[in-house]
């Protein structure tokens, strides 16, 4: 997994609420099985007009936001379907970090599995950030070590993140490798459970 | 210490405390389907890992397969690779597979309960957000991404933090024409799609207690549309009766011992929830969505909201975008809106009781000329049961298409879509932009309401049919 320490660049606002993973990436783009092209199709229903040309009203299409590594979104971002391709599609657009008041739970977990940092921030901080990025060409910096967002005006906004997830992201650690060390605990639990709840254990 | 049902199941599955609130949680069941299953199994293999407890893993194709009569795994060409991958990799790993045409096949969250594979007090995951459906039987069930599925397959555990606990009490008798689907759409409309974020929800109250299991599965199915990780209902006599005699359910003394244990899995009287909500079921009308979020739910005799109802600019922007996408005007009544398509199916509403409800309205009536209508049963067993009861004839005589079990038009990952610009009433769970196909317009409703729309050609109050 790609590690995350700091990211510096433009932050693009997409201030709709409840942006779901279906709109982030259409399911048929996933069944097509070409992960490298997902970035082209991120937000396709909003990003392109019916004739296939770019929709100039879609904020991330504006020249100043092209390739921005940070997305600021309305609350409950990434709700809906569990598709992990939603994270891959955002990464394909060049995003490394999403900031919102809240996130869909499964999407939030999927970000950490893929080196993407989701930051929960109170609405007032989000409003500050959006107001500044709207008028300034100066980039923002997200620092996961210091747990800070530096806004275009140089103001520092602190954020919190789960300590274990932060550690894994900073190091690019793999969960499975860590869990396999507890093999003996798992075996012990299962041995006891076979006696306590035999009905759960299906024949092999 | 008084504990909630969620705490009791959770605490019993902790294999190890990992610190900072994290635990290694044992997972009792892993369900795999053709969309996320092959990738997860392939990844396990590519990392040189093994499926740890193959007997606890169940696979069936549902998402990317055609529902056309006479279909095979290759009828939808783009999904053929996924179907074949699920089949080959499951067989290689020794995982129970319920393949197309084989007894037991169906939408994962329909076939799991139906086969007695889902039991009270178990933990269950699947790479599908509607995994919460299985909470209707008192299981702690939640959807995960593919990477997390790989972890679960390789270790039979997940690294988890306990969600916050929320209780939604629903009391009172349901009115005429009001089903479980109307109840949960009403709840989402009242609380919003972010109400359950970071929570697991226990549903309780007299309405829930008197509801059959299939209705409870429908209630829990839409927990994720409240933003919740999971939704569940404490098992009771209704649950035990449902489970008894199912193919993989415990039998005899084992069943009795299980029931004795399951009876302890209820929230203690003084258990503390992080959030509690009460809903009066008597106020619920047949409910339908007008917009592009499940929270855009209104009573069938209600009106589409006007812009003044949203106070924040982000909320207003979403409302305007939803109205424009749906081709609707603020403040207008929803009833009478002309429709083009009706879809009856999905893990929300494709069980035998759903089809009976739908057939009761469809009997001796006919789908309007301007409407194309499909019925896609949730599993092969549901399909055969419906055929034994003659429901297929009722639907076919009424002008519906009667199809093979799968997710079909709910997920539109199988070539089956609502055409661009067309308006559909669907018994599914999501009315998101493009969910049922690019530019497709979806109104979520119950099976009975979907049939009412199909025969009248426009969104209609089932109570007036």
């Amino acid at each position: 997994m790609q590690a995350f320490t700091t990211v510096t660049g433009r932050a693009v606002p997409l201030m709709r609420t409840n942006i779901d993973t279906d709109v982030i990436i259409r399911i048929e783009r996933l069944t097509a099985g070409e992960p490298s092209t997902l970035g082209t199709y991120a937000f396709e229903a909003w990003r392109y007009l019916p004739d296939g040309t770019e929709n100039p009203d879609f904020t991330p299409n504006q020249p100043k936001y092209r390739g921005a590594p940070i997305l600021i979104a309305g609350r409950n971002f990434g709700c809906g379907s569990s598709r992990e391709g939603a994270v891959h599609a955002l990464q394909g657009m060049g995003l490394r970090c999403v900031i919102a008041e809240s996130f869909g739970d499964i999407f939030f977990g999927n970000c950490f599995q893929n080196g993407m940092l989701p930051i929960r921030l109170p609405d007032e901080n989000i409003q500050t950030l959006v107001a500044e990025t709207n008028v300034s060409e100066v980039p923002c910096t997200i620092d996961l070590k210091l747990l800070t967002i530096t806004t275009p005006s140089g103001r520092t906004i602190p954020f919190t993140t789960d300590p274990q997830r932060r550690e894994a992201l900073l190091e690019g650690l793999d969960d499975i490798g860590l869990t396999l060390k507890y093999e003996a605990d798992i075996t012990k639990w299962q041995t006891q459970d076979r006696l306590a709840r035999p009905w759960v254990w299906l024949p092999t | 210490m008084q504990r909630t049902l969620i705490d009791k199941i959770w605490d019993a599955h902790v294999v190890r405390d990992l610190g900072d609130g994290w635990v290694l949680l044992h997972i009792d069941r892993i369900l795999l389907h053709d969309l996320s299953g092959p990738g997860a199994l392939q990844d396990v293999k590519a990392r040189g890992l093994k499926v740890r407890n193959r007997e606890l893993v169940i696979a069936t194709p549902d998402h990317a397969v055609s529902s056309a009569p006479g279909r095979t795994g290759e009828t939808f060409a783009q999904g053929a690779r996924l179907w074949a991958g699920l089949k080959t990799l499951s067989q290689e790993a020794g995982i129970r597979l319920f393949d197309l045409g084989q007894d037991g096949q169906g939408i994962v969250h329909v076939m799991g309960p139906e086969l007695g594979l889902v039991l009270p007090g178990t933990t269950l995951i699947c790479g599908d957000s509607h995994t919460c459906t299985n909470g209707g039987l008192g299981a702690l069930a939640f959807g995960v991404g593919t990477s997390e599925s790989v972890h679960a397959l390789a270790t039979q555990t997940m690294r988890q933090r306990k969600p916050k606990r929320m209780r939604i009490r629903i009391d009172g008798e349901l009115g005429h024409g009001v089903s479980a689907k109307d109840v949960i759409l009403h709840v989402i409309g009242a609380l919003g799609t972010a109400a359950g974020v970071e929570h697991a929800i226990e549903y309780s109250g007299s309405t829930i207690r008197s509801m059959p299991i299939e209705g409870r599965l429908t209630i829990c199915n839409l927990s994720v549309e409240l933003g919740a990780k999971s939704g569940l209902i404490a098992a009771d006599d209704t649950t035990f009766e449902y489970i008894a005699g199912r193919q993989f359910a415990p039998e005899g003394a084992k069943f009795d011992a299980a029931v004795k244990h399951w009876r302890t899995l209820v929230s203690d009287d003084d258990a503390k929830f992080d959030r509690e909500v009460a809903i009066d079921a008597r106020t619920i009308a047949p409910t339908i969505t007008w917009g592009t979020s499940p929270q855009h739910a209104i009573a069938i005799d209600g009106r589409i909201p006007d812009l003044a109802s949203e106070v924040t600019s982000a909320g207003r922007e979403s409302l305007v975008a939803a109205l424009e996408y749906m081709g609707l005007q603020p403040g207008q009544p929803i009833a009478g809106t002309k429709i083009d398509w009706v879809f009856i199916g999905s893990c929300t509403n494709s069980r035998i009781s759903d089809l009976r409800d739908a057939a009761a309205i469809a009997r001796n009536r006919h789908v309007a000329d301007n409407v194309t209508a499909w019925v896609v049963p949730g599993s092969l067993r549901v399909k055969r049961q419906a055929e034994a009861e003659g429901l297929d004839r009722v639907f076919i005589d009424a002008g519906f298409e009667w199809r093979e079990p799968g997710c079909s038009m709910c997920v539109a990952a199988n070539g089956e879509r609502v055409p661009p610009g067309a308006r559909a009433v669907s018994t599914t769970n999501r009315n998101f932009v493009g969910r049922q196909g690019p530019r497709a317009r979806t109104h979520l409703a119950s099976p009975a309401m979907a049939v009412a729309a199909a025969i009248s050609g426009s969104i209609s109050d089932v109570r007036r049919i």
Side-chain angles (χ1 to χ4, degrees):
Chain A
M1 188 182 79
Q2 189 184 6
F4 187 109
T5 46
T6 64
V7 161
T8 297
R10 294 299 298 248
V12 50
L14 190 59
M15 296 310 294
R16 293 179 187 181
T17 54
N18 302 317
I19 295 175
D20 58 77
T21 54
D22 271 87
V23 99
I24 295 174
I25 189 73
R26 185 149 75 85
I27 197 85
E28 281 170 300
R29 303 301 179 196
L30 302 177
T31 54
E34 286 168 46
S36 58
T37 64
L38 291 182
T40 317
Y41 299 117
F43 300 111
E44 67 178 289
W46 295 344
R47 192 165 156 197
Y48 305 107
L49 296 169
D51 67 3
T53 58
E54 282 195 359
N55 176 6
D57 294 336
F58 183 62
T59 323
N61 280 343
Q62 294 173 16
K64 64 173 181 175
Y65 291 126
R66 219 163 271 272
I70 303 159
L71 181 73
I72 315 170
R75 73 180 145 73
N76 201 21
F77 183 82
C79 62
S81 160
S82 61
R83 61 193 70 173
E84 204 158 318
V87 179
H88 304 149
L90 296 177
Q91 287 174 320
M93 279 181 85
L95 291 165
R96 294 291 324 274
C97 172
V98 186
I99 300 171
E101 202 181 328
S102 61
F103 292 88
D105 285 341
I106 307 175
F107 174 83
F108 192 72
N110 285 342
C111 285
F112 287 99
Q113 298 289 335
N114 290 279
M116 168 88 94
L117 176 64
I119 299 177
R120 291 193 189 111
L121 218 56
D123 184 53
E124 52 177 293
N125 288 342
I126 288 181
Q127 297 307 331
T128 305
L129 203 53
V130 171
E132 283 199 28
T133 55
N134 274 342
V135 296
S136 172
E137 296 286 323
V138 179
C140 296
T141 294
I142 313 287
D143 191 322
L144 184 58
K145 271 191 178 142
L146 299 176
L147 294 169
T148 55
I149 302 165
T150 308
T151 70
S153 72
R155 190 196 307 232
T156 301
I157 300 173
F159 65 93
T160 56
T161 195
D162 178 85
Q164 296 206 2
R165 284 187 148 149
R166 172 170 171 264
E167 180 74 16
L169 213 46
L170 285 171
E171 305 287 332
L173 291 179
D174 171 33
D175 279 354
I176 298 177
L178 292 174
T179 299
L180 288 173
K181 291 186 203 157
Y182 303 129
E183 175 55 34
D185 297 271
I186 301 168
T187 301
K188 190 177 156 206
W189 190 93
Q190 290 192 341
T191 307
Q192 286 168 352
D193 193 60
R194 281 174 201 273
L195 296 172
R197 297 187 309 158
W199 57 84
V200 172
W201 293 84
L202 298 167
T204 49
Chain B
M1 171 84 176
Q2 301 281 300
R3 293 186 301 162
T4 69
L5 166 62
I6 296 153
D7 295 296
K8 288 183 183 181
I9 301 177
W10 186 275
D11 297 349
H13 285 82
V14 173
V15 170
R16 190 187 171 97
D17 188 335
L18 301 174
D20 301 320
W22 288 84
V23 299
L24 201 58
L25 193 75
H26 191 266
I27 302 300
D28 300 335
R29 295 281 185 274
I30 301 172
L31 305 181
L32 297 176
H33 58 75
D34 51 334
L35 196 61
S36 61
L41 288 171
Q42 188 57 50
D43 203 15
V44 169
K45 208 172 139 178
R47 288 163 176 247
L49 299 166
K50 283 211 156 57
V51 174
R52 195 183 188 286
N53 289 99
R54 64 188 175 89
E55 73 278 19
L56 303 182
V57 187
I58 295 106
T60 194
D62 59 3
H63 276 66
V65 291
S66 166
S67 71
R71 59 100 188 269
T72 68
E74 289 166 343
T75 305
F76 174 57
Q78 202 176 300
R81 178 183 55 87
L82 293 165
W83 165 74
L86 183 73
K87 192 171 160 151
T88 313
L89 292 163
S90 295
Q91 284 167 348
E92 243 180 71
I95 292 167
R96 268 189 196 87
L97 169 77
F98 298 89
D99 198 10
L100 300 182
Q102 205 180 322
D103 180 46
Q105 183 269 335
I107 303 174
V108 273
H109 314 309
V110 176
M111 59 79 80
E114 174 184 272
L115 294 177
L117 288 162
V118 180
L119 300 173
T122 54
T123 49
L124 182 153
I125 62 133
C126 175
D128 184 282
S129 59
H130 291 104
T131 306
C132 50
T133 310
N134 299 289
L137 288 164
L140 185 67
F142 50 94
V144 300
T146 307
S147 298
E148 291 179 314
S149 306
V150 174
H151 187 286
L153 286 165
T155 68
Q156 206 57 41
T157 65
M158 291 197 56
R159 292 170 165 264
Q160 290 285 304
R161 289 185 69 116
K162 195 190 271 188
K164 293 180 199 157
R165 279 73 83 200
M166 178 170 176
R167 177 158 61 186
I168 301 181
R169 289 191 62 98
I170 308 169
D171 285 295
E173 245 177 80
L174 296 179
H176 171 60
V178 179
S179 69
K181 179 66 165 290
D182 301 293
V183 171
I184 193 65
L185 283 177
H186 172 88
V187 169
I188 299 167
L191 304 182
T193 58
V197 170
E198 295 175 48
H199 289 74
I201 300 173
E202 179 181 349
Y203 301 94
S204 69
S206 64
T207 316
I208 299 292
R209 283 291 138 231
S210 57
M211 203 176 264
I213 292 301
E214 296 194 353
R216 297 182 189 183
L217 292 167
T218 301
I219 296 277
C220 289
N221 175 268
L222 279 110
S223 300
V224 68
E225 312 317 330
L226 278 163
K229 181 183 187 74
S230 193
L232 72 173
I233 293 169
D236 57 12
D237 288 335
T238 307
T239 321
F240 311 144
E241 274 164 39
Y242 175 90
I243 292 170
R246 291 191 183 262
Q247 191 174 340
F248 291 92
E251 292 172 347
K254 226 189 222 182
F255 182 79
D256 297 339
V259 168
K260 197 175 160 209
H261 174 69
W262 294 339
R263 285 193 193 282
T264 67
L265 298 176
V266 292
S267 289
D268 294 329
D269 288 344
D270 303 326
K272 288 289 278 183
F273 287 83
D274 297 283
R275 184 170 180 201
E276 296 226 45
V277 178
I279 302 280
D280 182 354
R282 291 165 303 182
T283 64
I284 302 173
T287 300
I288 190 160
T289 62
W290 62 266
T292 57
S293 164
Q295 75 183 15
H296 296 151
I298 51 175
I300 183 63
D301 48 7
R303 284 173 183 273
I304 298 160
D306 53 44
L307 300 179
S309 66
E310 279 290 344
V311 288
T312 66
S313 61
R316 244 184 333 268
E317 192 184 328
S318 303
L319 191 64
V320 169
L323 285 166
E324 192 185 307
Y325 182 83
M326 294 300 288
L328 295 170
Q329 295 302 316
Q332 296 300 301
I334 190 71
T337 308
K338 283 264 176 295
I339 62 149
D340 311 294
W341 270 84
V342 164
F343 176 75
I344 297 173
S346 87
C347 56
T348 313
N349 282 128
S350 64
R351 298 178 182 82
I352 190 67
S353 58
D354 297 314
L355 302 192
R356 286 176 189 146
D357 283 358
I361 310 292
R363 197 177 297 273
N364 301 324
R365 294 196 174 93
H366 204 276
V367 171
D369 291 342
N370 57 311
V371 175
T372 309
W374 286 13
V375 182
V376 178
S379 71
L380 203 49
R381 288 193 179 186
V382 169
K383 181 170 186 257
R384 286 178 181 155
Q385 178 64 31
E387 287 170 350
E389 295 177 22
L391 305 184
D392 59 325
R393 284 315 319 170
V394 172
F395 289 122
I396 292 164
D397 291 348
F400 286 83
E401 268 194 44
W402 176 248
R403 300 176 66 93
E404 295 292 332
C407 300
S408 183
M409 219 175 244
C410 172
V411 70
N414 36 48
E416 295 168 8
R417 306 176 190 163
V418 174
R423 186 180 301 284
V425 174
S426 288
T427 67
T428 58
N429 38 57
R430 289 192 174 130
N431 50 355
F432 295 159
V433 167
R435 169 76 180 187
Q436 292 199 282
R439 297 197 288 124
R441 293 161 166 166
T442 301
H443 297 271
L444 305 175
S446 72
M449 285 276 283
V451 177
I455 59 181
S456 54
S458 59
I459 292 174
S460 303
D461 190 337
V462 67
R463 297 171 298 189
R464 297 195 180 166
I465 300 253

